[in-house]
Amino acid sequence: MRDKFIKWGIIILILVWVTALLIKAHYWIPILLTAIYALGIYNSFQTKHAILRNFPVLGYFRYFFEGISPEMQQYFIERETDGKPFPRNQRSAVYRRSKNISDTVPFGTQLEINQRKYEGIKHSIYAKSPKEELPRVWVGGEQCTQKYHASLFNISAMSFGSLSDRAQISLNRGAKKGGFYHNTGEGGISPYHLEGGDLCWQIGTGYFGCRDEEGKFSPEIFTKNATIPNVKMIEIKVSQGAKPGHGGVLPGAKNTPEIAAIRHVRPGMTIISPPSHSAFSDAAGLLKFVQLLRQLSGGKPVGFKLCIGDTKEFEDICVQMNVLKIYPDFITVDGAEGGTGAAPPEFSDGVGMPLEPALIFVNRTLKNFNLRDKVRIIASGKVLTSLDILRAIAMGADMCNNARGFMFALGCIQALRCNTNNCPTGVATQDKMLIKGLDVTDKSERVYHFHKNTLHTCNELIAAAGKDSYDEVDATMFMRGDEFDHLSDVYFPDILGNVKHKSTPY
């Protein structure tokens, strides 16, 4: 193709120029063709792209269609129930609830409910009337002096840097109006987190917002920020579900001078947090760090977030809790299905334990060590819908965090460009032109309504199950598809066995 392009291209180009000169037509066509031919000649001899080297002009169509493939998939191929990571029907439910419009659907479910993967709630014929008051949970153990009355459903960790300034303002104002907390993410407390909403300040391995010149933890700087009235809880990020064992990543394109000043790093460079903490290196060190932060913050609730990997390590933490008599006020369990703005695919796809088995393990382990009544468990990892929240509670969680649902409430369309600084909705970018499209007044209201309507549906679900409170929610409230398989075996036994016994041997 390259040789044909060079040979026939020059012939066609000469003919076009001769024709244009003879008839004295507009010269923009031969000029354009000359520019395309020159580009093709360059591509024919460059060595970086084999496609363009072999197909000097047509090769660009490959990159064009590859660039718009997510949009093609979402707009023309994706069905209501098979989009990834969130199907269209779930995204649509968030959009409707955030806009405070009807979230009802017509004509029945589109799910395959006769399959093993199906999960549903066992309703009661003696259903209750749903309560109007939204559920709340007290956080803070016996060693905490500033207990916090948290909402059952809150905004999970998303840093300023991964999200835009307007996105953070909208989240925080929505949290203020709805009375729920807003996790800062490991990027530190920015001015855009201080719009009046409650904060859970996350401390990551980079200690952004509480680090000294060498990048180590600074008690003095920490105390200054931890005592801000908006900060209600403090979370130590041990690991993240989407990339456990891998430090957080802020692409250089997103690392503006403003963000660099907040994090105390150089602007423009890609920031990769260390994979582990320098302030501690074992279970005892983690718990002593929890105790230190609780003291420095004036007795505010302090806990840690982790994705379960080697279960023996978590058991060791429980052993040390009983030895040292130091108890975190909460433990955030992040599932391997959790989201992130940037992570190597091997980490997102192949590292860490999913939320369901992780929650069950953490809950049972704390019970085995007689610690469950001292520690709150927070579930994080694709807890998007009301059914997800109740399922997490049934598996042992006291409350839930969610990030991507609140991003949808901000207008996120799942364009899958969070790591490129080209988010078309202005949510996950630092591009000023794109950010202008996000209206804070409108989006903060959507954040508020999404939270409110999701928890209202939770109230409706437990009422439909005949429950009076969330304390009654457990695994017996749910049914799964494998139970249907068992029922089929009981009531419709395999008749092939009869055929086998009655067949005549040859």
Side-chain angles (χ1 to χ4, degrees), residues 237-302:
K237 177 184 172 183
V238 177
S239 59
Q240 178 181 349
K243 47 189 172 185
H246 191 285
V249 180
L250 178 67
K254 288 187 172 184
N255 186 14
T256 65
E258 180 183 28
I259 293 170
I262 293 170
R263 298 194 180 201
H264 298 165
V265 296
R266 285 187 297 162
M269 62 183 294
T270 296
I271 303 299
I272 301 178
S273 303
S276 60
H277 283 261
S278 60
F280 56 86
S281 58
D282 55 21
L286 168 60
L287 295 174
K288 290 177 181 177
F289 192 56
V290 168
Q291 185 180 45
L292 174 64
L293 298 192
R294 191 186 284 130
Q295 293 171 349
L296 294 175
S297 65
K300 293 182 179 181
V302 178

Side-chain angles (χ1 to χ4, degrees), residues 166-333:
R166 292 194 182 188
Q168 295 291 4
I169 293 173
S170 301
L171 290 172
N172 200 256
R173 289 184 182 177
K176 177 183 179 181
K177 184 172 182 179
F180 53 100
Y181 71 72
H182 174 195
N183 192 306
T184 65
E186 66 173 301
I189 303 173
S190 72
Y192 313 110
H193 289 108
L194 301 175
E195 292 287 321
D198 292 345
L199 293 179
C200 177
W201 180 20
Q202 187 180 85
I203 309 297
T205 56
Y207 303 114
F208 301 123
C210 57
R211 60 187 270 152
D212 59 20
E213 295 298 327
E214 298 179 356
K216 305 294 183 181
F217 175 74
S218 170
E220 294 78 19
I221 300 177
F222 171 82
T223 303
K224 179 181 178 181
N225 286 322
T227 52
I228 294 174
N230 304 65
V231 176
K232 305 298 183 182
M233 297 166 55
I234 296 157
E235 179 181 79
I236 303 166
K237 177 184 172 183
V238 177
S239 59
Q240 178 181 349
K243 47 189 172 185
H246 191 285
V249 180
L250 178 67
K254 288 187 172 184
N255 186 14
T256 65
E258 180 183 28
I259 293 170
I262 293 170
R263 298 194 180 201
H264 298 165
V265 296
R266 285 187 297 162
M269 62 183 294
T270 296
I271 303 299
I272 301 178
S273 303
S276 60
H277 283 261
S278 60
F280 56 86
S281 58
D282 55 21
L286 168 60
L287 295 174
K288 290 177 181 177
F289 192 56
V290 168
Q291 185 180 45
L292 174 64
L293 298 192
R294 191 186 284 130
Q295 293 171 349
L296 294 175
S297 65
K300 293 182 179 181
V302 178
F304 58 87
K305 173 181 178 177
L306 83 168
C307 177
I308 298 296
D310 186 345
T311 55
K312 293 181 180 179
E313 293 180 342
F314 185 77
E315 291 172 348
D316 186 36
I317 294 174
C318 293
V319 169
Q320 291 300 317
M321 286 187 206
N322 285 325
V323 171
L324 299 175
K325 305 301 180 185
I326 300 175
Y327 311 107
D329 297 294
F330 63 91
I331 296 173
T332 304
V333 181

Side-chain angles (χ1 to χ4, degrees), residues 5 82 100 137 168 230 277 317 421:
F5 172 81
D82 61 4
N100 203 32
V137 179
Q168 295 291 4
N230 304 65
H277 283 261
I317 294 174
N421 203 39

Side-chain angles (χ1 to χ4, degrees), residues 132-166:
E132 291 299 323
E133 183 181 2
L134 301 183
R136 306 192 74 84
V137 179
W138 281 105
V139 181
E142 58 190 39
Q143 297 170 335
C144 172
T145 59
Q146 296 192 48
K147 294 178 174 59
Y148 175 60
H149 205 203
S151 171
L152 183 72
F153 187 48
N154 304 279
I155 303 173
S156 194
M158 294 181 284
S159 302
F160 171 55
S162 62
L163 298 194
S164 66
D165 51 3
R166 292 194 182 188

